[in-house]
């Protein structure tokens, strides 16, 4: 049985052999974290994604950190998954850039059938599958942003990750965003929840939003406009 594709988010490993980056003072951080207009967000065609694969892979590895070996391994693994995703119907990738690439996010629509759902039926609730059957779900399968975007002003609408994921859903008229995360990857779950992602039906689960069913994956959903 094949496993479903989980979300790609840089691992944020410590960079060896370099001095620790000093955090900016609060007065400057708000303008540096994810400025409202400094990063221009625009879509790439499949051909443009192919032409810029090396650049996309470099940014992913740079934001992951680690030593040279970890950098190269992370980059190679990431590019294999990205290329596979580009072949999915409706694939979309948005980049944020100034004079250089600042971040990007990508995904594809899903109708509750096909490779992304393979192996996930036991982990995805029936109500979500029924909603998927109507064609209103958009899978966000990758978000690549600088570490500071994950640390600072995560609840602000101009946070770069929020801008990218919000634009992905808006461009496709999605009723709901959806993603899968490895249950062991608590850091990614925590980051996504800080960007507005929630467990489906969490409000009605006994014990509150953290009362999620056991299993190897966590499924999270995102309301358009979040």
């Amino acid at each position: 049985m094949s496993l479903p594709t989980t979300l790609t988010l840089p691992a944020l490993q410590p960079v060896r052999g370099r001095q620790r980056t000093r955090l900016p003072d609060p007065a400057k951080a708000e303008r540096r974290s994810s400025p409202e207009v400094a990063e221009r967000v625009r879509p790439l065609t499949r051909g443009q994604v192919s032409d810029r694969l090396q650049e996309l892979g470099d940014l992913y590895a740079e934001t992951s950190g680690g030593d040279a070996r970890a950098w190269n391994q992370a980059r190679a693994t990431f590019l294999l998954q990205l290329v596979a995703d580009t072949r999915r119907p409706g694939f979309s990738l948005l980049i944020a850039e100034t004079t250089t690439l600042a971040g990007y996010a990508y995904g594809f629509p899903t109708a509750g059938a096909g490779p992304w759902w393979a192996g996930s039926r036991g982990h995805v609730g029936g109500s979500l599958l029924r909603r998927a059957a109507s064609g209103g779900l958009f899978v966000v399968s990758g978000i690549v942003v600088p570490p500071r975007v994950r640390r600072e002003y995560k609840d602000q609408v101009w946070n770069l990750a929020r801008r990218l994921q919000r634009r992905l859903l808006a461009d496709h008229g999605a009723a709901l965003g959806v993603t899968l995360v490895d249950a062991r990857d608590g850091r990614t779950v925590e980051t996504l929840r800080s960007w507005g992602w929630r467990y489906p039906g969490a409000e009605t689960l006994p014990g509150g939003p953290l009362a999620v069913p056991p299993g190897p994956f966590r499924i999270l959903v995102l309301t358009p406009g979040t």
Side-chain angles (χ1 to χ4, degrees), residues 37-55:
V37 295
E39 291 105 345
R40 179 173 60 119
V41 174
R42 66 183 180 90
L44 295 184
T45 65
R46 274 192 175 88
Q48 290 171 328
V49 171
S50 180
D51 290 340
R52 300 183 67 168
L53 274 179
Q54 303 309 312
E55 183 183 4

Side-chain angles (χ1 to χ4, degrees), residues 24-175:
D25 64 69
K28 296 180 180 178
E30 186 166 352
R31 288 164 50 182
R32 291 185 54 202
S33 181
S34 296
E36 293 186 56
V37 295
E39 291 105 345
R40 179 173 60 119
V41 174
R42 66 183 180 90
L44 295 184
T45 65
R46 274 192 175 88
Q48 290 171 328
V49 171
S50 180
D51 290 340
R52 300 183 67 168
L53 274 179
Q54 303 309 312
E55 183 183 4
L56 296 170
D58 286 349
L59 183 61
Y60 176 82
E62 289 166 9
T63 55
S64 292
D67 56 19
R69 180 177 180 181
W71 193 95
N72 288 324
Q73 184 176 2
R75 185 177 185 277
T77 301
F78 165 74
L79 286 176
L80 285 175
Q81 181 174 329
L82 177 59
V83 169
D85 273 353
T86 62
R87 301 190 182 105
R88 298 179 187 273
F91 172 83
S92 177
L93 185 145
L94 295 174
I95 63 169
E97 58 186 354
T98 50
T99 55
T100 59
L101 182 64
Y104 54 96
Y106 56 92
F108 48 90
T110 180
W116 187 78
W117 294 96
S120 65
R121 298 282 173 171
H123 317 295
V124 179
S127 61
L128 195 59
L129 288 174
R130 288 191 293 273
R131 193 162 190 173
S134 67
L137 294 189
F138 188 89
V139 176
V140 178
S141 54
I143 302 174
V144 178
V145 291
R148 60 186 171 82
V149 178
R150 295 171 65 167
R151 294 193 305 261
E152 304 166 0
Y153 300 95
K154 295 173 286 188
D155 59 341
Q156 297 297 315
V157 295
W158 45 259
N159 178 280
L160 183 57
R162 283 181 173 260
R163 290 176 59 205
L164 287 166
Q165 63 189 25
R166 188 166 59 244
R167 172 75 179 272
L168 274 175
L169 299 192
D171 283 359
H172 291 269

